[in-house]
Amino acid sequence: MRREAVALPALALGVFSIITTEMGIVGVLPEIADRLGVSASAAGLLVGSFALVVAVSGPFMTLASSAVDRRAVLAVTMGVFAVSNAVYALSTDFGLTLAFRVIPALLHPVFFSVALATAVRLGETAEPARATARVFAGVTVGFAFGVPLTSYLAGHFSLPAAFWFGAAVNLLGLVGLVRFLPAMPVGERLSYGAQLGVLRRGRTWLTLVSVVLVFAALFSVYGYFAAYLGGVSGMNGSWISAMLLVFGVVMIFGNFAFAALLRRGVGRTALAFPVLCLAVFAALFALGARLPAVVALVPVWAMVHSGGLIVCQSWLGRDTRQAPEFGNSLFVSFSNLGITVGTTVGGWSLAALGTRALPWTGIAFALAALVTVVLRLAWGERTGAAPERGTGSVRVGEESVPVGEVIP
């Protein structure tokens, strides 16, 4: 088996371990609050601080690390996440635990930015969406299995056991990356000015706004999944847990389905995605009180939801092709901003209008996203453009790959 063929699953494993660390803590917040002797709201800072640091620091940390060997960046990140999980397992001090949520959050967007660009370089360059989908599979598997398993270990064994599991997966990812990923020293590095140059284009900002709105649409509703299914559909805890599992498993397959659509046309898929969101949220509002209908709708909802990652990353990638890793960091930051906006507005909607009206928040954001995508397409597309001179290259093994060719 070619080394590169194993490197892609190693990258996906690294992504899985990061998602398990990032999101696994959500399911064990009550246990953490008890262990650290803080209130539930204070424990919630462990989640909110992570997302905020990722959103704010992503582009800057990616620029700062752009001269470092890419394999070293990925490996160091895995090591930091492993150490952080060990601290969570051993510490009973809230301040120390919070500090070790902030430290890995600084490296989180760097890892994703480098991993996505590396996946395309190692994969089939004619089909970057397929290589990207393999990395994003680590995200969906993390949501489907990593997060529930963390909660299960905390509930049936102990909270430290859950975090030691996270550390073990981080270390496994570290070994896989060091063993199977080729050394990737940076060749002709793009200057900071050249990387920041992608932000001088108005069309890039339109694309970034559309990314924020798409993620706001998705998470304004998904963020209150349990509240909606319990309060409107009448599901009990067991049903909701089953639906969460179904949602996560279907997302794995949806990730690759949208990769296939993207190979047929990024612009058309980006245009269709908000429309699909509108249809799902409208159906959820219309059928929310009918349990059998909601059970049938959840897999469809999951299939559409899964496309948000790869569709938005590919959509933004066209405008940032001259600086793909910096572009990926923008994707990570602005998608996290969208999640923050969506969950915040969804919470306000829930309090002011009631659970039944929650899908209308997603509908409003999806409509705004659709308008923004249409405006971006009207601005003009840059398809089939050749790499610009001086875009630089990154060495992968013995091959030097122009960064402008990463995202066609």
Side-chain angles (χ1 to χ4, degrees):
M1 180 180 294
R2 292 170 53 222
R3 191 181 189 187
E4 288 81 358
V6 184
L8 284 173
L11 280 172
L13 177 62
V15 171
F16 167 80
S17 71
I18 283 186
I19 290 298
T20 300
T21 300
E22 177 188 2
M23 302 304 300
I25 204 166
V26 173
V28 296
L29 277 181
E31 292 91 338
I32 290 176
D34 289 342
R35 178 181 173 86
L36 301 181
V38 298
S39 66
S41 59
L45 290 174
L46 299 174
V47 179
S49 62
F50 194 103
L52 181 61
V53 171
V54 168
V56 171
S57 70
F60 305 104
M61 290 298 296
T62 301
L63 285 173
S65 64
S66 59
V68 182
D69 182 285
R70 313 325 279 151
R71 182 174 66 175
V73 169
L74 296 171
V76 167
T77 303
M78 284 285 87
V80 169
F81 269 78
V83 170
S84 297
N85 269 303
V87 171
Y88 307 153
L90 297 171
S91 175
T92 57
D93 180 78
F94 178 73
L96 182 62
T97 302
L98 181 61
F100 275 87
R101 287 293 287 176
V102 171
I103 292 171
L106 290 169
L107 294 175
H108 174 282
V110 180
F111 183 93
F112 271 87
S113 302
V114 175
L116 289 169
T118 301
V120 176
R121 295 173 191 140
L122 293 175
E124 302 173 44
T125 56
E127 295 187 358
R130 177 176 295 176
T132 302
R134 292 177 183 174
V135 174
F136 277 139
V139 177
T140 53
V141 173
F143 274 101
F145 300 108
V147 175
L149 184 55
T150 299
S151 179
Y152 177 85
L153 290 172
H156 290 75
F157 294 92
S158 68
L159 186 61
F163 291 131
W164 285 122
F165 162 72
V169 178
N170 292 146
L171 289 175
L172 189 60
L174 170 61
V175 171
L177 291 172
V178 172
R179 173 66 179 83
F180 297 111
L181 204 65
M184 293 182 292
V186 178
E188 183 185 345
R189 184 173 67 88
L190 282 175
S191 67
Y192 294 153
Q195 295 182 71
L196 290 169
V198 300
L199 293 175
R200 299 192 186 105
R201 306 168 187 150
R203 63 173 178 259
T204 302
W205 284 102
L206 268 178
T207 304
L208 288 170
V209 171
S210 70
V211 170
V212 172
L213 292 171
V214 165
F215 274 84
L218 294 173
F219 283 87
S220 64
V221 184
Y222 175 74
Y224 303 94
F225 184 94
Y228 193 85
L229 267 57
V232 177
S233 305
M235 292 187 184
N236 59 27
S238 298
W239 268 100
I240 292 172
S241 296
M243 290 296 97
L244 281 169
L245 180 60
V246 169
F247 199 99
V249 171
V250 172
M251 278 185 66
I252 299 172
F253 298 99
N255 178 55
F256 289 98
F258 274 97
L261 291 175
L262 286 165
R263 291 198 295 274
R264 297 183 179 182
V266 175
R268 284 176 295 181
T269 306
L271 183 63
F273 190 75
V275 177
L276 292 173
C277 292
L278 285 169
V280 167
F281 296 146
L284 186 63
F285 176 76
L287 304 173
R290 302 177 183 178
L291 181 60
V294 172
V295 170
L297 182 61
V298 163
V300 180
W301 181 6
M303 182 70 70
V304 173
H305 187 91
S306 68
L309 287 169
I310 192 168
V311 170
C312 288
Q313 188 273 339
S314 299
W315 174 236
L316 178 59
R318 301 190 317 166
D319 286 338
T320 58
R321 69 180 72 196
Q322 275 70 46
E325 290 179 5
F326 181 65
N328 288 332
S329 74
L330 292 173
F331 164 70
V332 174
S333 291
F334 280 81
S335 60
N336 272 273
L337 177 60
I339 292 171
T340 302
V341 170
T343 52
T344 300
V345 175
W348 291 342
S349 172
L350 203 67
L353 303 175
T355 311
R356 181 77 174 87
L358 186 63
W360 282 104
T361 309
I363 289 171
F365 278 124
L367 279 171
L370 179 60
V371 171
T372 309
V373 171
V374 170
L375 289 174
R376 169 61 187 88
L377 289 172
W379 189 296
E381 298 185 11
R382 188 183 175 190
T383 56
E388 296 178 1
R389 293 183 181 274
T391 56
S393 62
V394 177
R395 184 164 297 279
V396 181
E398 297 300 318
E399 181 183 3
S400 182
V401 181
V403 296
E405 294 179 355
V406 172
I407 302 178

